Amino acid sequence: MQTRLAEEFRDTPAGREAGDILRACVHCGFCTATCPTYQLTGDERDGPRGRIYLIKQMLEGTTPTATTRHHLDRCLGCRSCETTCPSGVRYGRLADIGRAVVEQRVPRTGIDRLSRALLAAVLPRPALFAALLGAGRALRPLLPRALAAKVPPARPAGPCPAPRHARRMLVLEGCVQPAIAPGINAAATRVLDRLGVSLVIAPAAGCCGAVTHHLSREEAALAAMRRNVDAWWAQIEAGVEAIVVTASGCGAMVKEYGHLLAADPAYAARAARVSELARDLSEVVASELDRAAPTLPRLAGIDTPVAFHAPCTLQHALRLRGGVEGLLARLGFTLTEVRDAHLCCGSAGTYSLLQPRMSSRLLDDKLAALAAGAPERILTANIGCLGHLQSGTALTVEHWIEAVDRHWPAD
Ligand code: SF4
Ligand code: SF4
């Protein structure tokens, strides 16, 4: 697409990057067919091609308005459009750049501003979030039904083996996951321990930065990334084999550290190394199953079908489509067919809280698709999707590693 950036953007790193992305787009519109928000509203400006055009106009000098912001806000950031695009347009990165400009030029007011500030203040702070979640659980019977559905019940983590193997990998704890579902990392630790790998944590690490990044608070996001690089570095130098991430949304973020900190001379090389070492849990477990293949035990009691919800960050951002499904099938699970598996469930970071109407329509569609094969439970790979799906169904929703761990035969 022919693009002539306004002078104020032309010579900035973000402007140059956006210009390259815009020039790659041939405006064919293939991406609109797989965009969840375009399917809901039918408005071109709620699809990737229309949003690309809005961002292009803005970077060429047109003043953005509340309407520009409205349509960018309604984007899930699911990146389904990137998977579909035949020209390799990096829509997600362009949307980040566009949103940052809109955020500066069209200030938010009132409840919109307040709710974003609250989310940015609470979600990335594990202790504060855990305290508020504890209070929410205690008051759950008194809450309105819609709000009570958003407060997940406590899930015990179970025992977590102490590091005992020479082979070690770091594991990201993250921000909300330890409070909502501490059993996920505990299950990952148990499964990998049986496969000869010890997972270790860096206590100073925390939120991956995705929450603030998606709220366009770039300085806070970069600060979280730098803190994690510092927290992990000693163990990286000591030889950990990988940084395992059990939430695909966080994994997609950590994979971006190298790119987002490339202009920071104090962090660029280390951030690139961190991104290189980052692995989704499914990649690590699949390769450890390969190593252990001759001695693998048969999982017990997996005779009822399960449905797998593939998070957008797993299939569109990390490009690991089919990986978890293949792994589960290899272990003996029966997976149901799920139609429109490429579509977002409506969780999308803070989207379910900031765009509740669009989000709940996507949730209803997704739950109907997941329930169609009459599964016994729903498995997924991202804490955000897990909590969102669980808020709308009586079926148990859990991380796939929890199911693998539970069915692993006792030693
Ligand atoms: S982003 Fe890709 S699929 Fe969408 S209009 Fe541009 S070139 Fe076509
Ligand atoms: S990221 Fe998702 S919601 Fe946003 S334009 Fe692309 S497909 Fe549509």
Side-chain angles (χ1 to χ4, degrees):
M1 200 193 301
Q2 207 178 24
T3 302
R4 193 170 165 74
L5 296 188
E7 210 171 301
E8 59 185 311
F9 300 115
R10 204 172 300 151
D11 294 321
T12 64
R16 280 194 292 272
E17 191 179 5
D20 289 345
I21 299 171
L22 287 168
R23 278 183 276 275
C25 175
V26 296
H27 223 58
C28 62
F30 287 168
C31 51
T32 52
T34 58
C35 172
T37 56
Y38 178 75
Q39 289 189 6
L40 286 183
T41 71
D43 184 330
E44 174 79 8
R45 295 165 302 176
D46 286 327
R49 183 171 61 178
R51 290 180 178 126
I52 288 170
Y53 203 72
L54 288 173
I55 295 168
K56 176 179 185 288
Q57 282 182 319
M58 188 169 63
L59 296 179
E60 287 181 336
T62 303
T63 304
T65 63
T67 304
T68 318
R69 197 181 65 198
H70 173 72
H71 292 292
L72 293 186
D73 280 353
R74 297 222 294 203
C75 171
L76 295 145
C78 67
R79 294 168 66 179
S80 172
C81 46
E82 286 191 25
T83 298
T84 312
C85 175
S87 303
V89 172
R90 290 167 41 243
Y91 169 85
R93 186 62 198 130
L94 182 68
D96 285 345
I97 295 168
R99 281 176 162 147
V101 176
V102 174
E103 216 61 38
Q104 284 170 0
R105 308 281 163 97
V106 192
R108 296 182 190 273
T109 54
I111 192 75
D112 186 22
R113 185 185 176 128
L114 183 66
S115 50
R116 283 165 187 268
L118 271 174
L119 290 170
V122 172
L123 296 182
R125 293 185 169 80
L128 178 58
F129 179 78
L132 291 173
L133 181 61
R137 281 172 176 155
L139 297 171
R140 202 164 189 261
L142 307 176
L143 297 176
R145 196 187 307 172
L147 190 55
K150 300 263 178 220
V151 180
R155 298 173 175 227
C160 204
R164 62 179 171 128
H165 298 294
R167 293 187 59 211
R168 297 202 168 189
M169 297 181 187
L170 274 162
V171 63
L172 171 70
E173 291 221 284
C175 50
V176 301
Q177 185 169 297
I180 297 175
I184 296 174
N185 276 16
T189 306
R190 288 190 291 270
V191 169
L192 284 171
D193 179 74
R194 293 174 191 124
L195 293 168
V197 176
S198 286
L199 288 184
V200 292
I201 59 163
C207 175
C208 65
V211 171
T212 41
H213 179 69
H214 293 144
L215 289 166
S216 300
R217 290 166 190 253
E218 220 39 47
E219 278 317 308
L222 291 172
M225 296 176 206
R226 291 188 184 103
R227 182 209 50 220
N228 286 354
V229 171
D230 287 338
W232 288 328
W233 196 248
Q235 299 198 59
I236 290 172
E237 287 197 311
V240 289
E241 294 179 29
I243 301 168
V244 181
V245 189
T246 56
S248 59
C250 308
M253 186 78 259
V254 179
K255 277 285 182 198
E256 294 284 319
Y257 280 18
H259 182 71
L260 295 171
L261 288 168
D264 182 338
Y267 281 87
R270 287 187 297 150
R273 180 70 184 136
V274 162
S275 291
E276 197 175 72
L277 284 170
R279 297 272 182 287
D280 183 73
L281 177 65
S282 60
E283 298 176 276
V284 174
V285 171
S287 89
E288 294 310 316
L289 289 178
D290 286 343
R291 279 180 192 250
T295 57
L296 265 187
R298 283 180 65 80
L299 298 200
I302 42 175
D303 38 17
T304 44
V306 292
F308 179 68
H309 164 63
C312 300
T313 39
L314 188 74
Q315 54 175 328
H316 303 307
L318 292 171
R319 302 286 172 114
L320 295 173
R321 200 171 200 171
V324 174
E325 294 92 321
L327 191 158
L328 291 172
R330 178 178 171 187
L331 287 169
F333 285 86
T334 303
L335 294 164
T336 61
E337 285 286 324
V338 180
R339 72 174 147 75
D340 293 334
H342 62 284
L343 291 179
C344 180
C345 66
S347 170
T350 52
Y351 193 91
S352 60
L353 301 167
L354 296 169
Q355 300 284 337
R357 290 211 337 240
M358 299 276 278
S359 171
S360 73
R361 288 172 68 190
L362 291 168
L363 176 64
D364 291 345
D365 290 348
K366 181 57 70 180
L367 285 172
L370 287 163
E376 183 262 329
R377 62 184 58 218
I378 297 169
L379 307 182
T380 189
N382 187 48
I383 185 65
C385 309
L386 188 158
H388 188 56
L389 293 170
Q390 190 66 87
S391 73
T393 178
L395 287 172
T396 297
V397 186
E398 64 181 356
H399 194 287
W400 62 267
I401 196 71
E402 295 178 282
V404 170
D405 174 55
R406 193 172 50 257
H407 291 290
W408 201 283
D411 299 329

